[in-house]
Amino acid sequence: MVTSASSTLPATSGLSRKALARAVGAATIGNALEWFDWSTYSAFAAIFSLQIFGGHGGSALLSALAVFGVGFLMRPLGGALIGAFADRHGRRSALVLSVVLMAAGSLLVGITPTFAQAGMWAPAVLTLARLIQGLSVGGDYGASPIFLSEIAPPRHRGLVSSLHYVSLTFGLLAASLLGWILSAVLTRHELATWGWRIPFLLGAAAALWGLYLRSSVQESALFVQARSQERPKDVPSARRTPALILRVIGMTSLGSIAFWTITSYLPNSAVHVLSAGSVFAASSWALLIFLALQPAVGWLSDRIGRKPLLISYSAGFLILGYPLVAGVRIGSAGTLFWVMLLGLIVFSGYSAISAAFLAEQFPTKTRSTGVGIAHNVSSALFGGTAPYLLAKLDQSGDTAWFAGYVMAAAVVSGVLFLRIPEARGKALDS
């Protein structure tokens, strides 16, 4: 929720440039490490699936993608629990908690025994690790982008908060680049038997740096202000805004489907017909260009508003729904690159401003809880299931149904975007 542009600016608008840079750095670097750990699973799923699940390539990949989806089921719980924690104890405390959980989950994946060593205990351990990671990343989405939006001056909120997706994409890109490097220096057998563990172990170690950065950051002044004005009976509760949460779920459904279809399913599908190195290379270049677009689109939203970009993004996927799904029949690395890039360019109309636009939907007292629940329920229902659903439909030759699914989500999101008020340049409601 927002107040008028003439309202008194929040205390965060008075941050020095150095203090703002330090706070932004702590939030974004920690977020990049979180998403490196989270996305490493999807980047390497097709490679380690046989080791953990046994069987043959197709069934093992489906099992790995199913566990990928299970991780998403924990995201709403993480968003609710850690979001509520952030609304009561501060954004900084929630940022620290989420990175500790992510490090634990990544370490557990890295030491998961193989199916040959432990039988069904292997997928059970992997599932537990993924549940912990889901709890972490769900909670982080109610803390990291909210923190960035609250410390940003209102007239630059789009630009500053776009750094959330810059850091998120940097984490994805780092996972893809590491896969590219490992596939170049290791044989296919080495990568499949033990090399895939390296990124998870590195991620767990790097999370210690994220822990240090996040524990040293200053609390959001807007949160401190809201807490100082809170009466004893004002206990933050998402139950007071169920209609708003449902509306935000609808607005984020398309983004959840599109993002994980583009960044997870397409590369994992292509790895069965292309070399791992060429798949990682195509993905890395597409993600690098996508990363560079985020600040530019965030800056543009501070000039022309959030709504024109959100509506254009919905219209883009309404038009591209079928061509994007047709891209699952990847025949070359060049085709994979262009299909991914086209989808990510359209997606930028949402991703670059999602942190700002989601923060603008809720008051400070329930902002982390509301965003944490709404975004993560959407991710669980639509994002985590998208790669598995498309894989099943692709096996039966029914991918046109998935295209219709994408287009229907585009219509729902577009209609809801038309109804929200423009929040460009307005102070967040405390």
Side-chain angles (χ1 to χ4, degrees), residues 174-212:
S176 182
L177 285 172
L178 184 55
W180 189 2
I181 293 170
L182 290 175
S183 65
V185 301
L186 299 177
T187 66
R188 194 176 185 93
H189 176 72
E190 290 171 335
L191 186 61
T193 53
W194 57 267
W196 63 268
R197 298 180 185 274
I198 294 174
F200 295 101
L201 298 175
L202 286 177
L208 296 175
W209 183 34
L211 175 61
Y212 165 73

Side-chain angles (χ1 to χ4, degrees), residues 90-375:
R91 316 310 190 205
R92 181 179 62 181
S93 297
L95 289 171
V96 169
L97 177 58
S98 65
V99 79
V100 169
L101 288 172
M102 182 58 74
S106 189
L107 177 62
L108 192 55
V109 176
I111 62 174
T112 297
T114 66
F115 189 85
Q117 293 169 333
M120 291 306 298
W121 282 107
V125 171
L126 183 70
T127 302
L128 174 62
R130 198 59 183 171
L131 291 175
I132 295 172
Q133 288 189 320
L135 192 70
S136 168
V137 80
D140 194 70
Y141 210 98
S144 178
I146 298 306
F147 181 73
L148 284 173
S149 298
E150 289 183 349
I151 66 175
R155 63 193 180 95
H156 296 307
R157 189 183 305 124
L159 174 60
V160 172
S161 64
S162 73
L163 298 178
H164 170 71
Y165 244 95
V166 169
S167 60
L168 185 158
T169 307
F170 188 84
L172 297 178
L173 181 61
S176 182
L177 285 172
L178 184 55
W180 189 2
I181 293 170
L182 290 175
S183 65
V185 301
L186 299 177
T187 66
R188 194 176 185 93
H189 176 72
E190 290 171 335
L191 186 61
T193 53
W194 57 267
W196 63 268
R197 298 180 185 274
I198 294 174
F200 295 101
L201 298 175
L202 286 177
L208 296 175
W209 183 34
L211 175 61
Y212 165 73
L213 291 171
R214 288 185 165 189
S215 62
S216 63
V217 77
Q218 186 177 349
E219 182 57 83
S220 158
L222 188 61
F223 169 79
V224 173
Q225 176 186 337
R227 289 290 285 173
S228 67
Q229 297 172 350
E230 187 178 285
R231 298 188 301 271
K233 65 179 181 179
D234 289 335
V235 179
S237 172
R239 290 193 299 271
R240 298 176 185 174
T241 54
L244 181 56
I245 288 176
L246 287 174
R247 187 173 69 183
V248 174
I249 290 172
M251 288 189 287
T252 55
S253 60
L254 173 62
S256 298
I257 295 168
F259 183 71
W260 292 109
T261 298
I262 296 167
T263 63
S264 178
Y265 183 80
L266 291 182
N268 275 295
S269 174
V271 83
H272 292 295
V273 294
L274 304 173
S275 69
S278 61
V279 170
F280 281 124
S283 300
S284 297
W285 280 112
L287 287 170
L288 184 62
I289 296 172
F290 174 68
L291 183 152
L293 282 174
Q294 303 311 294
V297 177
W299 174 86
L300 183 62
S301 79
D302 287 327
R303 299 300 183 275
I304 68 172
R306 323 284 190 231
K307 290 183 68 172
L309 294 171
L310 292 169
I311 293 168
S312 297
Y313 138 81
S314 299
F317 276 109
L318 181 61
I319 296 169
L320 291 174
Y322 185 78
L324 177 64
V325 172
V328 301
R329 300 295 183 184
I330 301 296
S332 69
T335 301
L336 175 63
F337 167 76
W338 286 110
V339 170
M340 287 187 67
L341 181 60
L342 179 60
L344 289 172
I345 288 173
V346 176
F347 183 68
S348 293
Y350 168 83
S351 60
I353 59 176
S354 60
F357 124 78
L358 289 173
E360 289 160 356
Q361 308 306 308
F362 295 90
T364 302
K365 293 181 178 65
T366 58
R367 185 169 293 128
S368 284
T369 308
V371 171
I373 292 175
H375 182 272

